[in-house]
């Protein structure tokens, strides 16, 4: 079993839809949870960063962590064609850095 | 603010030729530095990381090597490329602090070995 599981998609939604992207994990010691957005042929860029459980909101993006279920989510409201990208979840214990574990990424397509 | 530069962005190399990818970070001191490879559908594979000048840790045995000649410079090399070395290579950095040191990536280098 992989430490982090992420559905590769692709996920295709119409413009304006609410998108839900998810990851599950097996290591209960993870405390730091990140979401990265990666456009085609570009490096991943940090989108959201959350410590421990709870929600964090930034504009149209909401990151949610449920440590009891070992489940994290990224919600995108009012999705736009410019949101079309691959979204990678990542998580780490307190050392972070090279101990960061990445999901394989979910490809999202937002249709105009 | 911190920035990371990685080059070249794209290269096509024949089998058996050498490789050198370079990365520099600006706006921070004593960063942790990383080289990842990303294969389609397989996510990010950590190749090397470095916590200081001349200090390199390898995560997987392979045909590649890394060096850190200066604090903010990280180089990925190979003496003889294999077809299997083709892929998308990403340099990254994080601050050397305890607790959730988030990783920031460069723009990546596409390598095609022919």
């Amino acid at each position: 079993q992989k430490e982090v599981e992420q559905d590769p998609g692709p996920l295709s939604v119409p413009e304006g839809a609410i998108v839900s992207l998810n990851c599950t994990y097996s290591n209960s010691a993870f405390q730091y949870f990140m979401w990265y957005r990666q456009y085609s042929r570009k490096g991943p860029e940090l989108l959201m960063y959350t410590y421990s459980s709870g929600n964090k909101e930034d504009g149209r993006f909401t990151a949610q962590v449920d440590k009891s279920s070992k489940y994290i989510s990224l919600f995108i409201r009012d999705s736009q064609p410019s949101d079309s990208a691959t979204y990678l979840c990542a998580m780490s214990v307190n050392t972070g850095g090279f101990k960061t574990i990445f999901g394989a990424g979910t490809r999202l397509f937002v249709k105009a | 603010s911190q920035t990371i530069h990685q080059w070249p962005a794209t290269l096509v190399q024949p089998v058996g030729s050498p490789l050198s990818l370079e990365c520099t970070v600006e706006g921070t001191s004593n960063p942790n530095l990383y080289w990842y490879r990303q294969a389609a559908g397989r996510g990010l594979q950590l190749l090397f990381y470095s916590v200081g000048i001349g200090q390199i840790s390898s995560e997987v045995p392979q045909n590649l090597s890394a060096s850190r000649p200066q604090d903010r410079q990280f180089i990925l090399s190979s003496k003889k490329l294999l077809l299997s070395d083709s892929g998308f290579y990403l340099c990254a950095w994080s601050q050397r602090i305890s607790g959730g040191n988030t990783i920031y990536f460069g723009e990546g280098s596409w390598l095609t070995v022919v």
Side-chain angles (χ1 to χ4, degrees):
Chain A
Q1 181 188 9
K2 291 182 181 178
E3 279 194 280
V4 177
E5 298 275 4
Q6 185 175 12
D7 187 335
L11 178 63
S12 184
V13 301
E15 183 176 359
I18 297 175
V19 176
S20 174
L21 304 166
N22 311 294
C23 287
T24 59
Y25 62 94
S26 57
N27 187 351
S28 59
F30 286 142
Q31 297 181 27
Y32 298 88
F33 303 91
M34 288 73 71
W35 285 95
Y36 290 82
R37 178 176 61 196
Q38 185 175 22
Y39 292 114
S40 181
R41 301 183 70 88
K42 298 291 186 181
E45 58 176 321
L46 181 66
L47 199 57
M48 298 286 283
Y49 173 90
T50 309
Y51 171 72
S52 194
S53 288
N55 292 1
K56 185 175 182 179
E57 188 173 321
D58 184 2
R60 297 185 294 111
F61 299 90
T62 299
Q64 191 173 78
V65 175
D66 183 349
K67 292 190 74 177
S68 61
S69 302
K70 300 191 182 71
Y71 189 88
I72 69 170
S73 301
L74 177 70
F75 297 97
I76 307 175
R77 292 182 299 278
D78 188 24
S79 57
Q80 303 295 310
S82 59
D83 295 327
S84 298
T86 296
Y87 291 81
L88 295 88
C89 63
M91 48 200 79
S92 69
V93 296
N94 60 342
T95 49
F98 68 91
K99 296 273 189 195
T100 302
I101 305 298
F102 290 87
T106 299
R107 291 198 69 187
L108 171 67
F109 295 97
V110 181
K111 300 171 292 184
Chain B
S1 64
Q2 300 88 2
T3 57
I4 179 169
H5 303 283
Q6 181 181 346
W7 69 94
T10 306
L11 67 165
V12 180
Q13 296 284 97
V15 169
S17 66
L19 170 73
S20 181
L21 300 179
E22 193 165 337
C23 170
T24 58
V25 180
E26 297 178 358
T28 187
S29 298
N30 304 314
N32 291 332
L33 297 173
Y34 312 87
W35 279 110
Y36 285 87
R37 178 164 56 200
Q38 188 176 33
R42 295 183 60 186
L44 288 162
Q45 180 187 33
L46 179 62
L47 302 176
F48 301 95
Y49 68 92
S50 171
V51 299
I53 295 174
Q55 301 179 62
I56 310 294
S57 296
S58 174
E59 288 294 293
V60 288
Q62 59 208 321
N63 187 42
L64 302 168
S65 62
S67 62
R68 185 170 178 172
Q70 300 180 45
D71 181 46
R72 292 171 292 169
Q73 183 185 23
F74 207 23
I75 298 171
L76 183 69
S77 304
S78 174
K79 292 182 179 178
K80 289 186 177 182
L81 284 168
L82 306 172
L83 286 173
S84 58
D85 291 323
S86 294
F88 189 44
Y89 290 84
L90 289 157
C91 182
W93 72 276
S94 67
Q95 291 182 331
R96 198 182 306 169
I97 57 174
S98 62
N101 27 354
T102 307
I103 292 177
Y104 299 91
F105 291 92
E107 285 295 290
S109 298
W110 282 95
L111 170 65
T112 303
V113 182
V114 296

